[in-house]
Amino acid sequence: MAGADGDDSLYPIAVLIDELRNEDVQLRLNSIKKLSTIALALGVERTRTELLPFLTDTIYDEDEVLLALAEQLGNFTMLPPLESLATVEETVVRDKAVESLRKISQEHSPVDLEVHFEPLVKRLASGDWFTSRTSACGLFSVCYPRVSSTVKAEIRQHFRTLCSDDTPMVRRAAASKLGEFAKVLELDYVKSDIISLFTALASDEQDSVRLLAVEACVSIATLLPQEDLETLVMPTLRQAAEDKSWRVRYMVADKFSEKAVGPEITKNDLVPAFQNLLKDCEAEVRAAAANKVKEFCENLPEDNREQIIMTHILPCVKELVSDTNQHVKSALASVIMGLSTILGKDNTIEHLLPLFLAQLKDECPEVRLNIISNLDCVNEVIGIRQLSQSLLPAIVELAEDAKWRVRLAIIEYMPLLAGQLGVEFFDEKLNTLCMAWLIDHVYAIREAATCNLMKLVEKFGAEWAQNTIVPKVLGMANDPNYLHRMTTLFCINALSEACGQDITTKQMLPVVLKMSNDQVANVRFNVAKSLQKIGPVLDSNALQTEVKPVLEKLATDTDMDVKYFAQEAISDVKLRSTNQSSAQDRPPLAALQNKVF
Amino acid sequence: MSAISASEKVDGFTRKSMRKAQKQRKSQGSSQYRTQSAPVELSPLPQLKDAPSTEQQELFTKKLQQCCMLFDFLDSVMDLKSKEIKRATLNELVDYVSTNRGVLVESTYPEITNMICTNIFRTLPPSDNPDFDPEEDEPTLEASWPHVQLVYEFLLRFLENPDFQPSIAKRHIDQKFVLQLLELFDSEDPRERDFLKTILHRIYGKFLGLRAFIRKQINNIFLRFIYETEHFNGVAELLEILGSIINGFALPLKAEHKQFLMKVLIPLHTAKGLALFHAQAYCVVQFLEKDPTLTEPVIRGLLKFWPKTCSQKEVMFLGEIEEILDVIEPTQFKKIQEPLFKQISKCVANPHFQVAERALYFWNNEYILSLIEENIDKVLPIMFGSLYRISKEHWNPTIVALVYNVLKTLMEMNCTLFDELTSSYKADRQQEKKKEQERDELWKKLDELRLSNTNLFQNNSRGLPCVQNNNNNNNNNSNNDNQDKSAEAAAVATDNKGPEVKDPDVSVAASESTPCAK
């Protein structure tokens, strides 16, 4: 290969560096992405002595190039260029450089870490411009566990300094790494250092810093023994839950998790705090809290869980059902069904069912959808029958919603609903809907409807398909609208396998073959594609005597797309008849079909 | 299903204008903080002008305290009477501090600032529209504006009152105050931002001790905007203030100010909001008028952030470049002409006619023309290729006409050079093509080298070191110089269990081995 005429020395560093310096950004970017190849051509020594200084010096480039460089350097062990990149302004570049540095740090021995890596972190931590200090925040935790205790003390000191940096950018970076850093610290230092930093950051003058401190709270709480939580963490958390900035309260609601604290604290502190968040004046906060209702209730101490939910949480939940903001309602709707398993059958029927029913009638389709998509939780507790009378109008309304995305969403729940409601209910009430979707104005709906039929057949069996679906589908083959005729073909593609050889050969194939005379070319080439698709299901006799002649005729069609797909199908069918086993392995032509159609 | 028209069904996306029309109805945001207990009903106090002068001061304080009561404006019918009383009182207070002398005695300062802080400092509510686009969307207006406006008005009159004493006020109008004021610049309501702009400007003017702090905090806001959130509604207003601040900088410029220019103002050009650009260009030109030596770094900075996909922004950049060229010194021009005209030549060749047109308009500018003429031997070779090609290829006839004019102007400047370039045009293109081929060759060879090394590495790890020798022999056969170096690359790659952790080649070979194995 390379030996024949390859000659590494033909690529002097100048040429390679020229490439890295090309005027065209795209070419520069390409070269950087192949940095490993360049390094290979240069050899170790010259990479270190010539390429490395070049990379360290020329970091004044487009951020996109720098990003690629930062990523590439993660594969080398070259610290100096990464150090420069870690001081760049553009956040993505810097983050990538830090990521690469973190990766490289794992390859350092403890000695190397102290000799090479830790001084780099220190330099970054005491840099003039905020960017290097922000980068340093992400590097402390990777070197801390593996260095000597004196160095450890220095690292802690640096982190402390950065937590009270005078630029909010650095404080934000420190706050966002607080949890991670706490995890690698010895417990005593968590108590002595981290807690005071946490308290300070959580009462920072800028809400953007405070909310990051709240995020760290969860990981800090898991590190501390139960008895210390009350004194060390809770005061700060209490204060954050009542912060004047909705962003901080939102973060509290979003990260709300009582797993970390004990049952006592939960009862005395978290329940009231959670109630307040559910009643917050900002919809964002209420929505975040509503999302947590199920998780919160699940983790309440079991001995008086039911009582807490009934007296404290449920009243708030009832109010949220008629909230003015639809995001709040839909957040609640996505979890509320989960409460039924916690509260049991009687409470569900008495207290939750009215709420479910109210939400099923909500004006916002998303709320109704969220309820319907979680029906399985209720099904386990009280059975879906309790709901079915209210369910039906809700489903019908969603099925006919003006927004196609809503229609699409409800179609996706059909197989689930069908399974829970049973075949009779389905035939009686929902079958018409499923067939109506096949002639929807939006292709995505027709496509989803086809897929839905397939899943239904998988659930209810081929016999059911033969009696209820197949006649209707085949009937559409004579529709005056060519789009509907094509839908027949798409349905056949989807159903043939689930229906089996008998139905496919006897009922579907004749229709497909008849459609090969359609006047619309799109229908004809879809016939070719369908024949190719259902080929494996058919017996070889039908293939040879019926399918092949039709395909051969289509292969001489006047339309070039029809010809193309007919030929594709012929070669596929041929392959199949000669070599059955390898034909099975052929990948589906889905990608190709997407491209052409 | 019949209730919905077919067209509505087909088009799942409602038009933006429709959505906007729906939004108009509720384009007011709440902002006041929640937990204040229900407002006590206000009872009207006597007019200040009717009170005897001995009691005026006390009444003034009382009125200030009365105005600390906050009301819920989202509920438009709640507390109507009290709201009206507060509005009238605020009006009276504004009037009182703007027309009377001697009313700002020291003891009133805390009351005044307390009233102001209580009313205006609040956490801005979450935006109704998370993707708020200041150019397209209607802003959410502040619901409590009837009161807040008067409080801003009052603050302004207070600051502008001839009796106002910064030395007393600085105890209250301190860093914390300024910080909160700056946060309010994120308000979506343009009326509020406008007031804030004037107020911050006054504070900057009157409180010398706060100036550095204000500049630093604005820096922080900008940096956060550029690199973290990309969202802050008041950037244009802050830039306007900075424009006039820069105007007042003493010479020579402090390092801090230069740093602001290079690390904040120039990167700010990456922002997407076009409305910002006018104020930005103004600030940049202010800087260059102060210190022309900054021209080179500024232009290089702009070239670094030159828009790649947004044509509208490219037009704005060209506008800013022209503003800079208008004030550029000829010596500075010489320093940046090469990179600059390489970019301009790309713009001229841009398929978007507005970009090409804007760049070609440079040739209508007398001063720029004189600079080009002075440096025609440098500029013409850079521009010629694009202009020549575009004159034959551009789809837009206006552009072609403009290009002909430009070519004519350039030809008149240096006829001989022009002729040389015309005759060598073809050869140059071929040269370029050849270079292109050479590059492909080079990379092909490099890839082969990488492949063979990977193979080597894999073979070696399977215990077949002899392959390496073959390779080296081959290398030596066709090698003229530097034999050891070429061998080294291969040798190191095979030495996969060597102690040298820092060898890039080892990790490279290791990391490359997987994708290359077929």
Side-chain angles (χ1 to χ4, degrees):
Chain A
M1 287 184 164
D5 60 339
D7 181 2
D8 325 47
S9 62
L10 281 181
Y11 322 120
I13 181 99
V15 177
L16 297 172
I17 284 183
D18 246 18
E19 281 297 282
L20 293 172
R21 229 190 319 223
N22 195 296
E23 237 169 61
D24 189 331
V25 188
Q26 191 55 51
L27 291 177
R28 227 152 53 217
L29 198 57
N30 292 346
S31 319
I32 291 280
K33 285 184 178 158
K34 291 179 180 165
L35 202 58
S36 52
T37 315
I38 292 183
L40 188 63
L42 287 173
V44 191
E45 200 45 44
R46 298 183 65 201
T47 299
R48 195 179 296 154
T49 55
E50 295 173 66
L51 184 63
L52 182 68
F54 167 77
L55 291 176
T56 314
D57 291 341
T58 44
I59 62 147
Y60 186 84
D61 200 336
E62 306 246 355
D63 291 324
E64 208 167 339
V65 178
L66 298 184
L67 177 65
L69 180 59
E71 187 163 16
Q72 281 293 312
L73 288 171
N75 301 325
F76 295 76
T77 311
M78 296 206 277
L79 293 180
L82 279 174
E83 183 174 350
S84 315
L85 287 173
T87 66
V88 161
E89 271 89 7
E90 180 50 55
T91 327
V92 267
V93 176
R94 217 164 54 217
D95 288 350
K96 188 54 88 180
V98 170
E99 195 189 310
S100 287
L101 279 169
R102 286 167 72 113
K103 188 172 153 196
I104 289 175
S105 74
Q106 302 306 317
E107 290 159 19
H108 280 70
S109 65
V111 180
D112 279 344
L113 211 56
E114 277 191 32
V115 178
H116 300 292
F117 200 83
E118 203 270 339
L120 174 150
V121 178
K122 265 197 251 173
R123 278 196 301 278
L124 287 175
S126 43
D128 281 338
W129 189 237
F130 77 96
T131 51
S132 75
R133 302 200 297 277
T134 7
S135 292
C137 293
L139 295 172
F140 293 126
S141 62
V142 288
C143 39
Y144 189 85
R146 293 162 61 209
V147 292
S148 66
S149 57
T150 29
V151 180
K152 276 184 176 174
E154 284 173 28
I155 291 179
R156 286 197 304 275
Q157 181 53 46
H158 276 294
F159 193 79
R160 255 200 303 277
T161 318
L162 293 184
C163 282
S164 52
D165 197 276
D166 70 339
T167 76
M169 289 76 85
V170 178
R171 292 203 302 279
R172 277 195 288 275
S176 66
K177 299 293 176 200
L178 186 66
E180 178 189 291
F181 189 58
K183 280 186 189 153
V184 298
L185 242 58
E186 296 80 358
L187 184 60
D188 281 348
Y189 291 121
V190 173
K191 284 190 204 170
S192 62
D193 284 25
I194 295 290
I195 293 300
S196 66
L197 296 176
F198 167 65
T199 318
L201 290 170
S203 44
D204 195 276
E205 62 197 6
Q206 304 234 341
D207 59 359
S208 54
V209 180
R210 294 202 297 277
L211 64 91
L212 289 167
V214 169
E215 222 180 343
C217 176
V218 181
S219 23
I220 294 174
T222 47
L223 298 170
L224 292 173
Q226 290 289 335
E227 61 269 23
D228 292 327
L229 282 173
E230 174 59 36
T231 49
L232 297 179
V233 178
M234 287 316 291
T236 315
L237 189 61
R238 242 172 258 150
Q239 171 200 323
E242 291 177 0
D243 197 282
K244 72 179 190 331
S245 164
W246 63 270
R247 289 186 190 85
V248 178
R249 299 198 305 277
Y250 171 87
M251 195 54 110
V252 177
D254 193 46
K255 299 288 162 202
F256 218 97
S257 156
E258 67 272 51
K259 276 181 205 148
V261 300
E264 275 312 297
I265 297 180
T266 302
K267 226 182 300 169
N268 300 337
D269 271 312
L270 293 191
V271 174
F274 191 65
Q275 274 177 295
N276 282 336
L277 292 171
L278 288 173
K279 290 188 224 155
D280 199 277
C281 68
E282 289 298 352
E284 264 75 0
V285 181
R286 289 199 303 278
N291 245 327
K292 293 280 169 182
V293 164
K294 181 186 161 212
E295 199 185 317
F296 182 82
C297 293
E298 267 173 352
N299 291 313
L300 286 169
E302 288 214 17
D303 47 344
N304 50 8
R305 179 161 78 183
E306 195 178 316
Q307 183 252 330
I308 294 178
I309 297 177
M310 297 306 290
T311 50
H312 298 288
I313 307 294
L314 207 58
C316 303
V317 169
K318 276 182 185 156
E319 273 176 49
L320 291 181
V321 168
S322 49
D323 199 278
T324 50
N325 185 295
Q326 65 170 48
H327 297 294
V328 177
K329 286 187 291 188
S330 83
L332 181 70
S334 64
V335 297
I336 190 173
M337 310 293 264
L339 291 182
S340 48
T341 23
I342 305 172
L343 287 178
K345 188 171 178 181
D346 294 341
N347 279 326
T348 303
I349 292 177
E350 194 184 336
H351 298 284
L352 291 176
L353 197 56
L355 302 182
F356 300 159
L357 296 178
Q359 292 213 298
L360 271 177
K361 295 194 185 86
D362 199 278
E363 54 174 13
C364 165
E366 210 175 314
V367 176
R368 282 174 270 152
L369 263 182
N370 281 346
I371 291 289
I372 290 176
S373 61
N374 286 298
L375 280 176
D376 47 337
C377 315
V378 192
N379 197 21
E380 287 161 20
V381 183
I382 57 170
I384 209 161
R385 289 280 161 180
Q386 293 271 5
L387 277 170
S388 58
Q389 282 318 310
S390 317
L391 207 50
L392 195 67
I395 294 174
V396 172
E397 211 175 307
L398 288 168
E400 295 173 356
D401 196 281
K403 293 199 177 68
W404 68 266
R405 283 167 210 276
V406 175
R407 300 201 295 278
L408 184 64
I410 189 73
I411 294 178
E412 275 158 14
Y413 295 120
M414 269 298 147
L416 181 80
L417 284 170
Q420 283 168 2
L421 292 165
V423 68
E424 286 150 45
F425 188 91
F426 185 87
D427 278 347
E428 197 180 319
K429 317 271 185 188
L430 300 177
N431 197 12
T432 357
L433 284 178
C434 289
M435 300 315 288
W437 280 321
L438 288 176
I439 50 168
D440 198 281
H441 298 271
V442 178
Y443 176 72
I445 300 297
R446 296 197 299 273
E447 191 189 25
T450 315
C451 182
N452 174 43
L453 286 187
M454 184 180 77
K455 286 183 187 151
L456 289 175
V457 173
E458 278 166 7
K459 206 160 236 136
F460 293 151
E463 198 183 327
W464 175 81
Q466 192 173 5
N467 295 330
T468 48
I469 295 184
V470 174
K472 287 185 193 166
V473 166
L474 296 181
M476 281 164 62
N478 300 318
D479 198 289
N481 185 336
Y482 87 98
L483 289 172
H484 297 173
R485 296 200 295 279
M486 292 217 300
T487 307
T488 300
L489 290 172
F490 296 144
C491 287
I492 289 175
N493 292 349
L495 295 177
S496 63
E497 206 165 316
C499 286
Q501 198 183 59
D502 197 43
I503 299 178
T504 309
T505 319
K506 289 200 179 123
Q507 299 190 10
M508 295 176 174
L509 184 62
V511 176
V512 179
L513 295 174
K514 206 178 124 207
M515 288 171 87
S516 69
N517 297 317
D518 201 288
Q519 58 187 7
V520 178
N522 295 47
V523 177
R524 292 199 302 278
F525 78 63
N526 271 298
V527 166
K529 288 207 273 188
S530 285
L531 288 174
Q532 183 178 1
K533 178 87 206 227
I534 64 174
V537 187
L538 299 170
D539 62 67
S540 54
N541 184 30
L543 266 182
Q544 294 303 326
T545 57
E546 297 182 60
V547 174
K548 228 172 150 192
V550 170
L551 283 176
E552 274 159 4
K553 197 187 87 195
L554 287 174
T556 59
D557 200 281
T558 47
D559 187 278
M560 77 184 231
D561 290 319
V562 178
K563 260 193 235 173
Y564 172 79
F565 283 107
Q567 273 152 8
E568 282 284 300
I570 288 172
S571 63
D572 197 50
V573 170
K574 269 192 188 139
L575 259 179
R576 231 183 281 281
S577 52
T578 52
N579 189 348
Q580 203 72 26
S581 66
S582 74
Q584 301 282 312
D585 299 334
R586 280 175 64 86
L589 285 166
L592 185 71
Q593 287 168 2
N594 284 340
K595 204 175 80 191
V596 180
F597 186 61
Chain B
M1 224 183 254
S2 54
I4 305 132
S5 75
S7 70
E8 207 177 324
K9 244 182 178 176
V10 173
D11 181 17
F13 307 93
T14 41
R15 289 214 195 84
K16 202 160 194 184
S17 54
M18 276 168 64
R19 265 185 291 141
K20 247 189 218 167
Q22 285 168 359
K23 279 199 70 169
Q24 220 91 64
R25 267 176 282 135
K26 49 160 203 147
S27 63
Q28 292 205 318
S30 86
S31 66
Q32 299 297 2
Y33 185 47
R34 60 213 169 114
T35 55
Q36 222 206 10
S37 46
V40 183
E41 202 166 302
L42 297 185
S43 46
L45 295 166
Q47 292 272 306
L48 276 163
K49 61 174 190 287
D50 300 337
S53 56
T54 46
E55 287 166 28
Q56 264 190 0
Q57 209 55 54
E58 201 192 325
L59 187 59
F60 180 48
T61 313
K62 267 193 185 151
K63 287 195 176 232
L64 285 169
Q65 282 163 352
Q66 199 173 44
C67 288
C68 288
M69 185 66 73
L70 301 179
F71 297 96
D72 180 5
F73 272 83
L74 282 184
D75 189 340
S76 53
V77 288
M78 203 199 252
D79 308 310
L80 272 182
K81 203 171 132 233
S82 299
K83 279 179 189 167
E84 177 51 30
I85 292 172
K86 178 169 169 182
R87 197 192 58 80
T89 313
L90 282 169
N91 257 326
E92 198 191 350
L93 289 175
V94 170
D95 203 40
Y96 187 66
V97 289
S98 41
T99 51
N100 293 326
R101 295 293 306 262
V103 293
L104 295 183
V105 296
E106 191 170 343
S107 62
T108 60
Y109 279 70
E111 297 292 346
I112 289 176
T113 41
N114 182 36
M115 191 278 280
I116 292 166
C117 295
T118 321
N119 277 284
I120 64 170
F121 292 154
R122 61 208 196 272
T123 306
L124 294 169
S127 174
D128 263 356
N129 175 3
D131 322 300
F132 175 66
D133 175 356
E135 317 226 318
E136 282 279 324
D137 302 326
E138 288 293 325
T140 308
L141 298 177
E142 174 52 57
S144 54
W145 190 244
H147 286 174
V148 173
Q149 176 185 18
L150 292 168
V151 178
Y152 277 124
E153 189 76 47
F154 177 78
L155 171 55
L156 201 56
R157 303 288 180 194
F158 169 61
L159 292 168
E160 286 172 350
N161 188 302
D163 296 332
F164 177 77
Q165 288 188 33
S167 54
I168 303 172
K170 76 178 179 196
R171 258 172 275 151
H172 310 288
I173 299 184
D174 52 4
Q175 295 193 346
K176 197 171 170 225
F177 185 95
V178 169
L179 207 57
Q180 287 173 286
L181 201 66
L182 282 168
E183 275 177 22
L184 291 174
F185 273 84
D186 195 20
S187 169
E188 243 178 66
D189 193 330
R191 301 168 300 181
E192 178 162 24
R193 295 202 304 271
D194 208 50
F195 259 114
L196 287 164
K197 187 175 72 184
T198 322
I199 288 165
L200 185 67
H201 205 174
R202 294 287 175 279
I203 293 179
Y204 191 88
K206 289 188 190 289
F207 295 84
L208 302 186
L210 286 173
R211 286 186 177 181
F213 181 78
I214 292 175
R215 287 196 306 267
K216 204 166 107 193
Q217 294 310 321
I218 294 181
N219 269 359
N220 288 345
I221 289 176
F222 284 171
L223 288 166
R224 184 170 179 218
F225 169 73
I226 304 167
Y227 296 115
E228 293 182 28
T229 58
E230 290 176 43
H231 179 90
F232 193 85
N233 292 314
V235 175
E237 281 81 4
L238 291 175
L239 278 171
E240 262 185 71
I241 300 174
L242 280 169
S244 62
I245 292 179
I246 296 164
N247 203 2
F249 282 162
L251 287 172
L253 288 177
K254 282 194 219 160
E256 176 213 324
H257 302 326
K258 289 186 189 168
Q259 191 182 50
F260 167 71
L261 172 67
M262 293 315 300
K263 299 242 178 187
V264 183
L265 204 49
I266 298 294
L268 202 56
H269 285 81
T270 54
K272 36 178 192 266
L274 298 170
L276 304 177
F277 281 79
H278 183 69
Q280 255 165 316
Y282 176 70
C283 286
V284 169
V285 171
Q286 288 288 314
F287 262 112
L288 298 185
E289 285 193 323
K290 289 256 162 202
D291 183 355
T293 60
L294 292 168
T295 313
E296 189 188 352
V298 162
I299 290 194
R300 283 188 187 278
L302 288 177
L303 292 175
K304 178 179 166 185
F305 294 119
W306 202 271
K308 301 245 172 355
T309 52
C310 180
S311 310
Q312 256 177 311
K313 252 177 94 169
E314 217 169 339
V315 173
M316 309 289 280
F317 266 62
L318 285 164
E320 187 165 347
I321 291 283
E322 183 164 1
E323 280 185 54
I324 294 173
L325 288 178
D326 268 332
V327 299
I328 201 169
E329 289 184 358
T331 46
Q332 297 299 323
F333 183 82
K334 280 192 191 348
K335 287 186 194 164
I336 47 86
Q337 56 188 7
E338 268 186 58
L340 179 61
F341 276 88
K342 275 181 189 161
Q343 182 58 55
I344 293 176
S345 128
K346 277 187 214 159
C347 294
V348 165
N350 197 305
H352 195 302
F353 81 99
Q354 282 176 337
V355 176
E357 188 181 52
R358 187 68 192 82
L360 290 164
Y361 279 165
F362 280 18
W363 273 263
N364 292 347
N365 183 316
E366 287 297 322
Y367 182 61
I368 297 179
L369 219 52
S370 72
L371 290 167
I372 294 177
E373 181 153 25
E374 228 170 276
N375 302 285
I376 187 71
D377 52 325
K378 286 275 184 322
V379 176
L380 188 51
I382 299 171
M383 293 300 302
F384 186 81
S386 305
L387 289 173
Y388 192 84
R389 190 162 56 78
I390 285 304
S391 72
K392 297 195 184 326
E393 284 176 12
H394 206 282
W395 61 273
N396 183 303
T398 320
I399 297 299
V400 174
L402 280 170
V403 166
Y404 271 117
N405 282 338
V406 169
L407 278 171
K408 196 164 145 259
T409 318
L410 290 172
M411 188 170 72
E412 281 161 8
M413 286 178 182
N414 187 340
C415 198
T416 35
L417 180 58
F418 194 89
D419 287 343
E420 275 170 33
L421 287 167
T422 321
S423 53
S424 67
Y425 177 77
K426 265 208 175 123
D428 285 349
R429 293 294 86 80
Q430 270 164 5
Q431 188 72 29
E432 261 170 41
K433 268 198 189 129
K434 205 177 144 214
K435 250 189 159 172
E436 193 62 31
Q437 273 176 355
E438 278 172 10
R439 160 170 308 110
D440 285 347
E441 289 286 296
L442 171 75
W443 280 107
K444 226 178 264 167
K445 280 183 190 168
L446 284 176
D447 282 342
E448 277 169 15
L449 175 74
R450 186 183 62 170
L451 278 177
S452 72
N453 267 280
T454 313
N455 287 347
L456 263 183
F457 176 72
Q458 286 171 334
N459 288 340
N460 197 37
S461 59
R462 277 187 238 112
L464 293 168
C466 56
V467 182
Q468 184 209 333
N469 295 334
N470 288 342
N471 193 319
N472 273 348
N473 290 339
N474 284 338
N475 279 342
N476 293 340
N477 292 341
S478 59
N479 210 350
N480 308 323
D481 50 9
N482 276 339
Q483 289 178 359
D484 46 334
K485 268 176 191 155
S486 64
E488 186 185 30
V492 170
T494 55
D495 186 10
N496 61 333
K497 44 191 187 298
E500 275 269 44
V501 192
K502 284 200 177 151
D503 281 348
D505 290 283
V506 173
S507 55
V508 170
S511 66
E512 296 295 342
S513 62
T514 5
C516 288
K518 291 201 177 143

